[in-house]
Amino acid sequence: MLFSKIAMEDYITSFLIEDTGFTGDITSSFLQGKRIKAHLIAGESFTLAGTPFFNKVFELLDNEFQIKWHLTEGQTVYEGDILCSMEGKETALLSGERTALNLLQHLSGIATNTRRYTKVLEGTRIKLLDTRKTTPGLRYFEKYATRIGGAWNHRMGLYDAVMIKDNHIKAYGSITDAVNTVKQNVPITVKIEVEVENWPQLHEVLNVKDKVDIIMLDNWEISEIDRAIEFIRNKINHAKIEVSGGITLEKLAELKTKDIDFVSTSKLITGAKWVDISMEVE
Amino acid sequence: MLFSKIAMEDYITSFLIEDTGFTGDITSSFLQGKRIKAHLIAGESFTLAGTPFFNKVFELLDNEFQIKWHLTEGQTVYEGDILCSMEGKETALLSGERTALNLLQHLSGIATNTRRYTKVLEGTRIKLLDTRKTTPGLRYFEKYATRIGGAWNHRMGLYDAVMIKDNHIKAYGSITDAVNTVKQNVPITVKIEVEVENWPQLHEVLNVKDKVDIIMLDNWEISEIDRAIEFIRNKINHAKIEVSGGITLEKLAELKTKDIDFVSTSKLITGAKWVDISMEVE
Amino acid sequence: MLFSKIAMEDYITSFLIEDTGFTGDITSSFLQGKRIKAHLIAGESFTLAGTPFFNKVFELLDNEFQIKWHLTEGQTVYEGDILCSMEGKETALLSGERTALNLLQHLSGIATNTRRYTKVLEGTRIKLLDTRKTTPGLRYFEKYATRIGGAWNHRMGLYDAVMIKDNHIKAYGSITDAVNTVKQNVPITVKIEVEVENWPQLHEVLNVKDKVDIIMLDNWEISEIDRAIEFIRNKINHAKIEVSGGITLEKLAELKTKDIDFVSTSKLITGAKWVDISMEVE
Amino acid sequence: MLFSKIAMEDYITSFLIEDTGFTGDITSSFLQGKRIKAHLIAGESFTLAGTPFFNKVFELLDNEFQIKWHLTEGQTVYEGDILCSMEGKETALLSGERTALNLLQHLSGIATNTRRYTKVLEGTRIKLLDTRKTTPGLRYFEKYATRIGGAWNHRMGLYDAVMIKDNHIKAYGSITDAVNTVKQNVPITVKIEVEVENWPQLHEVLNVKDKVDIIMLDNWEISEIDRAIEFIRNKINHAKIEVSGGITLEKLAELKTKDIDFVSTSKLITGAKWVDISMEVE
Amino acid sequence: MLFSKIAMEDYITSFLIEDTGFTGDITSSFLQGKRIKAHLIAGESFTLAGTPFFNKVFELLDNEFQIKWHLTEGQTVYEGDILCSMEGKETALLSGERTALNLLQHLSGIATNTRRYTKVLEGTRIKLLDTRKTTPGLRYFEKYATRIGGAWNHRMGLYDAVMIKDNHIKAYGSITDAVNTVKQNVPITVKIEVEVENWPQLHEVLNVKDKVDIIMLDNWEISEIDRAIEFIRNKINHAKIEVSGGITLEKLAELKTKDIDFVSTSKLITGAKWVDISMEVE
Amino acid sequence: MLFSKIAMEDYITSFLIEDTGFTGDITSSFLQGKRIKAHLIAGESFTLAGTPFFNKVFELLDNEFQIKWHLTEGQTVYEGDILCSMEGKETALLSGERTALNLLQHLSGIATNTRRYTKVLEGTRIKLLDTRKTTPGLRYFEKYATRIGGAWNHRMGLYDAVMIKDNHIKAYGSITDAVNTVKQNVPITVKIEVEVENWPQLHEVLNVKDKVDIIMLDNWEISEIDRAIEFIRNKINHAKIEVSGGITLEKLAELKTKDIDFVSTSKLITGAKWVDISMEVE
């Protein structure tokens, strides 16, 4: 998993604190703490994602909590499926239920939505990418979920890859200045991507073509994309090509035959809805 | 605002850390830091929500950053509207852009979605409520956004009100035992709500009616709700009535003439999509 | 217990850090760490409170530490009583002794002091309440101890109930404005209390009586309280009545026959002294 | 002040969080935030202590908050005195009031109580010392208050001086082994104190007398103390002498003529009660 | 700078806490806090590095502290040079002196040591790289200092680039399995490097050559390196070549004429010594 | 060990976070996590130091990790020695390797360097001391390592002993004022040291000689040191004498016959280089 264990546990602890504050769960705290059983039921069809985080919620509340999953991460779930059987302290179960389900429903929603897009590209070598448009505080969870849905991660944050966009070009003065300055300073392991919105920008990339690893065609007309691809493949032949901007399922279908490497869209995450899962105490 | 200033700033700082890690923004860090101007443009119509958090992102990165909003929190925004004008250090602007927009787009999406529901209840005394189904780590932001959209907050967490649900009834043995035990232990300022799913449960509430502040009719047929309301108003007359479960815009229209106090639905948050806003450097 | 397990452990960890700093316990650290036995002896009579926190101190220092209590939380202890038997690593025992005893002596002092007050009200339906006058950093521990002493908790902090006091009335302009503004904004689960100091204020409460859950008569003459109670019961019949201000054991005895719901006093905590307990290594 | 500025601000921030949680001050948050004035009034006579912390509470909430003290730290205050005049944002004033007063009332109570003891020793060279019996989480505040009351600080924690007590002697096997082992390991700047409860222990100190900086006579009969002092002054002449155990005002009066260096008692802190101070908005 | 401002300030705050604990600077705290002047003097020749961190120490202690540098970051300093003039609160100056100097002396030592190596490669296109052998807790400071000394950063941590070493090959079973598995999982912006120790490993890289961005020749005989370079340039022509293992100034001189991209050595940091700088109050 | 267990674990956790960020170890995370064996080999001769921290790294990553040391802390290690055998999860081993080795190599380097100095003083009663010139963030680790190398710790930070240096004398106005003011304020357990650079300063110490525990002769000519010692022993006979400033192995040899208590030098730490240790998976 692309998530440090230490960071992940810190996040989930903070989610529990968000819900319990100082006073704790004032509905369940006065129970004896006997062990009880429960299970999860799918209220609709979806792609399951987030089970390691779901497990961690209860592990943090009761280190003898047991969860047995009947379906695995990434599997398609159908309405009425029993997803898992659980057994643990009643106080842990009742206090952790909402936090654990919120994670599972949100992340499964993202995986489910992502799969709608990745299916379109099946059979091609084009990789579908997520973006940095993620819910603040949930970046690493949501990027985990897009992978479960079949997508690939673009950079994780501002710190692990360079992406020169329109606003950076304005601030640095030109693509040439931006790429040269950045390349001069970043670790040698960092890839550099440039977002180009038009032909003049694409031509300017030639000045620094050896330093550019990925070229993103942002919001280009489908009709222009073929010419742009041809230009890049001829002039800057080692660079990867990414297409982005207003990606719909229809547009994706049009792109699947192109000689491109990546398509990226924030919609995998921002257009997702929670799936329906409920917990039943036995 | 129902959000401690200290807690809010800690959250937003953590969102920036999530995006910048240790190494920082490796695309913008090598700029000189001169002051530049930018503005936000609405890419569609929506209800604006989250401006205080948007401001805070940039205040944390540059304490002389200036933002002038042309529209106010909660106002309806139309496609093409210039939302605000900004001026500050280029490094702050470029590094904070995504985090600030992620918050604004997500929260405006929730406010916009919420308003669709609250409009249905306009002219009635019924209050629309949110729930604890919120994105982990964003509870207080999202509950802020539902208020901007015209809804009211239900309890903020497990710690500030008692809600006895089906699973609690099983764990405590009965509604009577659950309410009595909890009431015996919680602060005297805490309200107690009981979720009832059927007539036997509603009858059992009579045992402890003086201790119950809110009765939630969970997933009742519309056809049964009138009888339940009448029963409650006659027997437990001080209690507030909340209706929940599968609330759609249609169902809400049916409920608006009932003698109830609250309708609650997680859909305000879980069914929302991000709105389209972009930042343009001048 | 009205204390989140995560928050409680964080607090106790910080208490240990306060005492050990970076360098640790420089008197005990050079011992081998062999297991030794010890016990606690009561140096006077008191009400025992704080044993879960006492246990947690040693659990954090040695996860195989064993403590067997011979008396239970809330029980009356007499001079010379052996409170518990302990066995664990000598380094844990010696390093944790002071922190653990400080908690136990302070909290037992509060429970003991509280019981002096709650005894007066025995046989009545009036509940004795604590306040927010608590030692900074120990709020949730001290409010735990008043409960052990037989009192009930008033609100836990500024965040979980509304209390409109003299200074709020001045700031909002009037009781009416204060209650209306607050009620319009807070979660529907929040109770609203108004502190009234005189008849004009009590009369003004009629303007917003449906929104007020508790009326506190602050510093009223005993002679006036009966009239005030009658007024409230007639005009605002659903509201609870709290009496506060200069509560002594004598004043409490006078109040016990009144038709009131709550008496509150900060003296449970601010007037308490530590009880005498010592640890003896065997 | 013996308190790191960073640590002090972290503590006070945590005190505010304890009171405001995530949701904040739900009674005051809906005010406009206009500037208002207030003052503090003494409800009884006492020694003023804690003003720097009182100031810090409001500085953290409103960095333009102004407080003008009419009396200075350590001064004797009389009932009815106006302690200070304040002006700042109404939201800051109302939200910080309780936390700031809790600190001031608690710490002034300790300074006041301490002064009762230190007065007895006036005119002598004997220093009155506090101990590590402090309220968990408030160690550095309370030890600040005892100094304001005229006492001196004993060690701040387990980390900055060695104190070999009865339980350490048992664990190490003997005073000789304890002192030798510890001296071999601690920084050369650390002082070593040995607590002796009887003549055999005092005689044993001779084995390691060059390594012992302070000898504490713990719970010795007044009648024996003179002989012990004479013994120490003759045999271990560089060591300081501390007397401890059951120190009352009467016992202190008896000790004031002895040739000792220190008297220590936890009662300065554990026997203190809060003083009466109230805030009045103008 | 490749260092998030938030992270950097958190680190430096923690360095101050390390030195001041709870009690603070007990030698300087009792000064009035008047403003004084001081300057730094170089006790030897070196490359200056760390001035932004030096400044931050004092900014955190006194936000009106002023430092004027007479030499700039990366410049060569000679014995007796006045590096900067400072003016600020005496308490800030005395409490921050050691922490600020420790950073400056340590980091200038690294920059100075690094420059000895980078000088050898001057006039070539070969970049000298640091490694992950850095002092725990100082990674981002030390990697900053190597850049000041003219080197380039290799990956910052385990999270931002893949490096498959001998132990990974053993764990995954083969280079082929390691590269394929990793490539299948990491973000598309991540570069993959493989460390090869011998000819069979180098030949195996051919299986996955399209997925490998950098090949590191680890501990190869100088005599074999030419053949290895030729092999790589012919077979895997897009990959960068890094040479590592036992790099001395002599070995570096031998490597400078080779057709390689990078030489890496931990010695830049692990072989550095602190430079001599002292602060003089005027 | 002079290191609080809580503080030590927090530090080592932060070292792991520094290396793994949010995304974790992207080279090893996709392994199954099977148990593997490894061992450490010494690449040169040195004094072993840091094994408890090395162990803790792996314990934090895998609580069933087993390490068996064949040599003990402080022992001399020879090139080719197998230092320890390890067995645990492959992911833990590979992710923790660098952090654990960085600690061990750095700290063993300090112990090794320290031993070169302490050997010179063998057979004398003079103690070699470290200073506060330590790598920021590693103070307590490095002071641990100097002890392993046979040195003694001077004060741990600014908080646990008073050291009046040249700059303090300027700020307070004189040695007399500095010592008197400080002595009046610090805990009675704190030792006071004065650094004297010349005869007038040494004479001035007579004014406050009863308050001074240690006199440091800073940068005195060897030829003058004998006279200074004689002066101190005659006039201020209880004070300890510390010699510091430009301590080399040669100077140390000259000092070993003097009647002094301590010699201190920052070179133990600032002049150390990392030792060569490597890990081999079996």
Side-chain angles (χ1 to χ4, degrees), chain F:
Chain F
M1 195 193 313
L2 287 177
F3 208 157
S4 139
K5 185 168 166 286
I6 298 172
M8 191 257 275
E9 291 190 10
D10 280 355
Y11 269 113
I12 294 183
T13 301
S14 77
F15 299 158
L16 287 168
I17 292 172
E18 180 192 62
D19 202 22
T20 53
F22 290 107
T23 319
D25 175 359
I26 61 177
T27 308
S28 309
S29 294
F30 316 109
L31 287 163
Q32 300 300 318
K34 65 178 182 295
R35 288 177 74 81
I36 55 173
K37 295 182 181 187
H39 54 265
L40 294 190
I41 307 172
E44 61 181 311
S45 293
F46 59 85
T47 300
L48 183 64
T51 60
F53 313 125
F54 185 93
N55 293 349
K56 180 61 70 180
V57 168
F58 292 105
E59 181 192 321
L60 288 172
L61 293 169
D62 170 10
N63 54 19
E64 295 179 358
F65 208 94
Q66 290 175 328
I67 301 179
K68 188 176 167 187
W69 289 92
H70 307 308
L71 291 144
T72 60
E73 198 73 348
Q75 208 173 335
T76 302
V77 164
Y78 298 99
E79 191 186 333
D81 278 357
I82 305 291
L83 304 182
C84 69
S85 306
M86 313 160 67
E87 183 178 339
K89 254 193 241 168
E90 58 191 354
T91 43
L93 190 99
L94 291 167
S95 299
E97 172 183 357
R98 192 70 267 138
T99 297
L101 278 176
N102 284 353
L103 277 166
L104 198 65
Q105 294 180 255
H106 178 64
L107 298 180
S108 294
I110 290 171
T112 303
N113 190 46
T114 299
R115 190 156 290 176
R116 293 168 55 228
Y117 289 82
T118 53
K119 261 191 191 149
V120 179
L121 295 177
E122 263 173 24
T124 77
R125 65 167 192 82
I126 304 173
K127 294 175 179 172
L128 186 68
L129 308 183
D130 54 25
T131 73
R132 277 173 52 249
K133 278 198 199 170
T134 58
T135 319
L138 279 191
R139 170 78 49 88
Y140 300 89
F141 293 90
E142 293 182 340
K143 282 188 166 254
Y144 167 87
T146 60
R147 282 195 303 276
I148 295 295
W152 295 70
N153 294 139
H154 204 296
R155 62 174 174 167
M156 304 307 275
L158 289 167
Y159 59 85
D160 63 343
V162 168
M163 171 98 75
I164 293 166
K165 303 188 179 196
D166 200 36
N167 287 339
H168 299 96
I169 296 169
K170 288 179 190 164
Y172 275 105
S174 70
I175 288 177
T176 313
D177 285 345
V179 172
N180 281 333
T181 303
V182 165
K183 185 70 180 180
Q184 188 64 24
N185 283 284
V186 297
I188 59 99
T189 45
V190 165
K191 286 190 184 166
I192 294 181
E193 175 165 3
V194 178
E195 194 178 295
V196 294
E197 297 184 334
N198 50 50
W199 280 101
Q201 288 186 341
L202 187 49
H203 280 108
E204 201 193 334
V205 171
L206 288 179
N207 293 344
V208 287
K209 65 176 183 177
D210 292 346
K211 294 172 182 149
V212 174
D213 299 284
I214 307 169
I215 294 171
M216 183 213 277
L217 303 173
D218 189 37
N219 277 313
W220 288 56
E221 295 294 321
I222 285 283
S223 58
E224 287 292 294
I225 282 182
D226 287 322
R227 283 181 52 215
I229 294 169
E230 190 185 350
F231 177 89
I232 297 168
R233 294 297 184 218
N234 286 337
K235 307 274 191 183
I236 322 170
N237 68 327
H238 73 283
K240 302 285 185 187
I241 301 176
E242 178 178 341
V243 173
S244 194
I247 301 300
T248 57
L249 290 172
E250 296 67 34
K251 193 162 177 190
L252 206 53
E254 290 182 292
L255 289 169
K256 70 179 287 191
T257 57
K258 309 292 182 197
D259 177 20
I260 57 179
D261 301 283
F262 313 122
V263 179
S264 61
T265 173
S266 60
K267 284 283 179 279
L268 309 182
I269 290 168
T270 65
K273 292 188 177 179
W274 293 35
V275 303
D276 185 1
I277 308 173
S278 56
M279 179 185 292
E280 192 116 333
V281 170
E282 288 163 23

Side-chain angles (χ1 to χ4, degrees), chain E residues 4 12 19 22 25 34 56 89 108 116 123 126 152 154 160 177 179 189 210 220 243-244 253 255-256 269 275 282:
Chain E
S4 139
I12 294 183
D19 201 22
F22 291 106
D25 175 358
K34 64 177 184 295
K56 181 61 71 183
K89 254 192 241 169
S108 293
R116 293 167 57 226
I126 304 174
W152 296 70
H154 205 295
D160 62 343
D177 284 345
V179 172
T189 46
D210 292 346
W220 287 56
V243 173
S244 195
L255 289 169
K256 70 180 288 189
I269 290 169
V275 302
E282 287 164 22

Side-chain angles (χ1 to χ4, degrees), chain D residues 38-41 54 67-71 82-86:
Chain D
H39 54 266
L40 293 191
I41 307 172
F54 185 93
I67 302 179
K68 188 174 168 190
W69 289 92
H70 308 307
L71 291 145
I82 305 292
L83 303 182
C84 69
S85 305
M86 314 161 68

Side-chain angles (χ1 to χ4, degrees), chain B residues 92-267:
Chain B
L93 190 99
L94 291 167
S95 299
E97 173 182 356
R98 191 70 268 137
T99 298
L101 278 175
N102 284 353
L103 276 166
L104 197 65
Q105 294 181 258
H106 179 64
L107 298 180
S108 293
I110 290 171
T112 303
N113 190 46
T114 299
R115 191 156 288 177
R116 292 167 57 226
Y117 289 82
T118 53
K119 260 192 193 148
V120 179
L121 295 177
E122 264 172 23
T124 77
R125 65 168 193 81
I126 304 173
K127 293 175 179 172
L128 186 69
L129 307 183
D130 55 25
T131 73
R132 278 173 52 249
K133 278 197 197 171
T134 58
T135 319
L138 279 191
R139 168 77 51 87
Y140 300 90
F141 293 90
E142 294 182 339
K143 282 189 166 252
Y144 166 87
T146 59
R147 281 194 303 276
I148 295 295
W152 296 70
N153 293 141
H154 204 296
R155 63 175 173 168
M156 303 308 275
L158 288 167
Y159 59 85
D160 63 342
V162 168
M163 172 98 76
I164 293 164
K165 305 187 178 197
D166 200 36
N167 286 340
H168 299 97
I169 296 169
K170 288 178 190 163
Y172 276 105
S174 69
I175 288 177
T176 312
D177 284 345
V179 172
N180 281 333
T181 303
V182 166
K183 185 72 180 179
Q184 187 64 23
N185 283 286
V186 296
I188 59 98
T189 45
V190 165
K191 286 190 185 167
I192 294 180
E193 175 164 2
V194 177
E195 193 178 298
V196 294
E197 297 183 332
N198 50 48
W199 280 101
Q201 288 186 341
L202 187 49
H203 281 108
E204 199 192 337
V205 172
L206 289 179
N207 292 344
V208 286
K209 65 177 183 177
D210 292 346
K211 294 172 182 150
V212 174
D213 298 284
I214 307 171
I215 293 171
M216 184 213 276
L217 303 173
D218 189 37
N219 276 312
W220 287 56
E221 295 294 321
I222 285 284
S223 57
E224 287 292 295
I225 282 183
D226 287 321
R227 282 181 53 214
I229 293 170
E230 190 185 350
F231 177 88
I232 297 169
R233 295 299 184 214
N234 285 337
K235 307 273 193 182
I236 320 169
N237 67 328
H238 73 284
K240 302 284 185 187
I241 301 176
E242 177 178 343
V243 173
S244 195
I247 302 300
T248 57
L249 291 171
E250 295 67 34
K251 191 161 177 190
L252 205 54
E254 290 182 292
L255 289 169
K256 69 179 288 189
T257 56
K258 308 292 182 193
D259 177 20
I260 57 180
D261 300 282
F262 313 122
V263 179
S264 62
T265 173
S266 61
K267 285 280 179 280

